[in-house]
Amino acid sequence: MKDLVHRIREGVTELLGAPDGYEVVLGNGGATAFWDVATLCLVERKAQHAAFGEFGGKFATATERAPFLDPSQVISAEPGSVAYLEAADDVDTYATPHNETSTGAIAPVRRPAGPDGAILLTDATSGAGALPVDLGQTDAYYFAPQKAFAADGGLWLAVLSPAAVERAARIEDSGRWVPEFLSLTTAVANSRQDQTLNTPAVATLLLLADQVDWLLGQGGLEWSAKRCAASAEILYSWAESREWATPFVARPEERSTVVGTIDLAPEIDVERVLAELWANGVQDVFAYRKLGRNQLRVGMYPAVDPDDVAALTACVDYLVETV
Ligand SMILES: *Cc1c(COP(=O)(O)O)cnc(C)c1O
């Protein structure tokens, strides 16, 4: 177990290019658990959230509900666009998704200017391992392994800056009650010994370790990001060349290279297209259900061959022309 956790911590450090002093910490419960960990151990008084889809919105709700924090500042944008963080004097923690999986929009990983000492928490659950990143720009780059890492859920990982580790130690020392399961300092102490507080799912760790090694063997994050970008280029240029398809995210620079969302014209019944695809073994390209759009959503994670994305577009062409 310790060897496995060690291999993952070293591999993630290398893959994501963590700066000196940053450390890879992990615990049980997935990215959703990390929102509670961060609410309890990282937000000092007030958080600012960028919310432009399901996942950014959920973290905002977590800090808003915390009785020991000031009401959060939530900067929202309509699904299909991006809300950007803004420098604010009364905020000690900024939070944004890197890749909003529900809508297929990406935000830059960049610390807003001023005030000194504020930290940035980046939800990289579907972006980590697939999007280029400068980790020096963020204090917690956290994710779960079931997206770009092609593993299973139930675990969270966070690459933490020294400022984030210090912040957690200070808050947890200050008398705020933090359940042990959600304590970041406990997770840091365990991770430093290549272990977790309680028993993790070993199969998840094995899948993750193998995927990290595979990505490193192929050429690391640069290779992975290029491969995803190649898939995205195929998907978006296809949609733009069809009269009945439109990329959902209007601004090209906000379009995700890992989760592509394509609206279909209203006369095309997307449920039928999905059913035919499914019946022929092409699965899981449905839109995020709560969005309720006539939309395809395509995972273009590094494990996906760009040729398969091209094949998918040919299948959709066939269905739209003949079904
Ligand atoms: C999937 C996802 C989550 C939730 O992850 P869990 O491991 O299920 O808690 C959070 N944020 C983003 C951006 C996601 O894609």
Side-chain angles (χ1 to χ4, degrees):
M1 278 297 299
K2 283 195 166 210
D3 287 349
L4 192 55
V5 173
H6 186 75
R7 196 174 132 209
I8 289 167
R9 293 181 68 234
E10 296 278 299
V12 168
T13 301
E14 189 184 340
L15 182 70
L16 299 181
D20 279 354
Y22 278 55
E23 45 192 319
V24 178
V25 176
L26 69 166
N28 283 312
T32 302
F34 191 80
W35 292 328
D36 287 337
V37 170
T39 300
L40 282 155
C41 308
L42 288 173
V43 184
E44 192 137 25
R45 289 214 62 82
K46 181 171 177 175
Q48 181 189 97
H49 294 265
F52 47 98
E54 181 73 10
F55 295 109
K58 278 189 169 168
F59 187 19
T61 304
T63 63
E64 275 178 320
R65 291 180 58 199
F68 46 88
L69 298 177
D70 290 349
S72 301
Q73 182 188 357
V74 183
I75 300 173
S76 305
E78 285 302 305
S81 63
V82 172
Y84 293 90
L85 297 167
E86 294 164 6
D89 287 339
D90 61 342
V91 156
D92 57 71
T93 305
Y94 297 97
T96 184
H98 193 184
N99 184 69
E100 181 46 81
T101 323
S102 63
T103 65
I106 41 174
V109 178
R110 198 189 313 127
R111 217 180 263 112
D116 282 355
I119 58 172
L120 171 62
L121 316 180
T122 307
D123 180 355
T125 299
S126 55
L131 295 177
V133 68
D134 170 9
L135 285 188
Q137 284 291 326
T138 186
D139 298 287
Y141 193 72
Y142 64 92
F143 54 95
Q146 72 271 28
K147 309 271 168 79
F149 290 99
D152 215 338
L155 203 68
W156 60 259
L157 291 99
V159 190
L160 298 179
S161 74
V165 173
E166 278 164 32
R167 171 78 70 90
R170 181 153 46 78
I171 288 178
E172 292 188 55
D173 252 7
S174 72
R176 182 185 291 175
W177 178 69
V178 175
E180 191 176 30
F181 188 68
L182 298 173
S183 159
L184 191 56
T185 50
T186 301
V188 169
N190 278 295
S191 298
R192 284 176 180 164
Q193 296 177 59
D194 293 323
Q195 59 195 27
T196 47
L197 172 66
N198 63 323
T199 317
V202 182
T204 305
L205 291 172
L206 279 168
L207 291 169
L208 171 59
D210 270 15
Q211 180 75 351
V212 169
D213 286 353
W214 177 72
L215 289 170
L216 286 170
Q218 296 293 320
L221 191 60
E222 201 185 317
W223 174 85
S224 174
K226 265 198 201 140
R227 181 168 158 101
C228 297
S231 290
E233 172 61 26
I234 292 168
L235 184 75
Y236 294 124
S237 60
W238 164 77
E240 283 179 324
S241 69
R242 298 293 180 273
E243 299 220 316
W244 40 264
T246 321
F248 174 46
V249 177
R251 295 174 67 182
E253 68 275 19
E254 293 176 347
R255 286 177 195 157
S256 172
T257 51
V258 272
V259 177
T261 44
I262 305 297
D263 278 347
L264 300 184
E267 64 272 18
I268 299 169
D269 180 356
V270 77
E271 293 306 327
R272 256 194 99 187
V273 173
L274 290 168
E276 286 297 331
L277 287 171
W278 184 279
N280 288 280
V282 184
Q283 299 176 347
D284 293 339
V285 286
F286 46 85
Y288 197 75
R289 292 222 166 79
K290 281 193 208 162
L291 272 184
R293 296 187 73 88
N294 205 45
Q295 186 176 89
L296 299 172
R297 187 172 55 136
V298 182
M300 304 179 289
Y301 296 114
V304 173
D305 190 327
D307 287 347
D308 284 344
V309 175
L312 170 69
T313 62
C315 292
V316 177
D317 278 344
Y318 174 80
L319 289 170
V320 168
E321 281 153 25
T322 60
V323 176

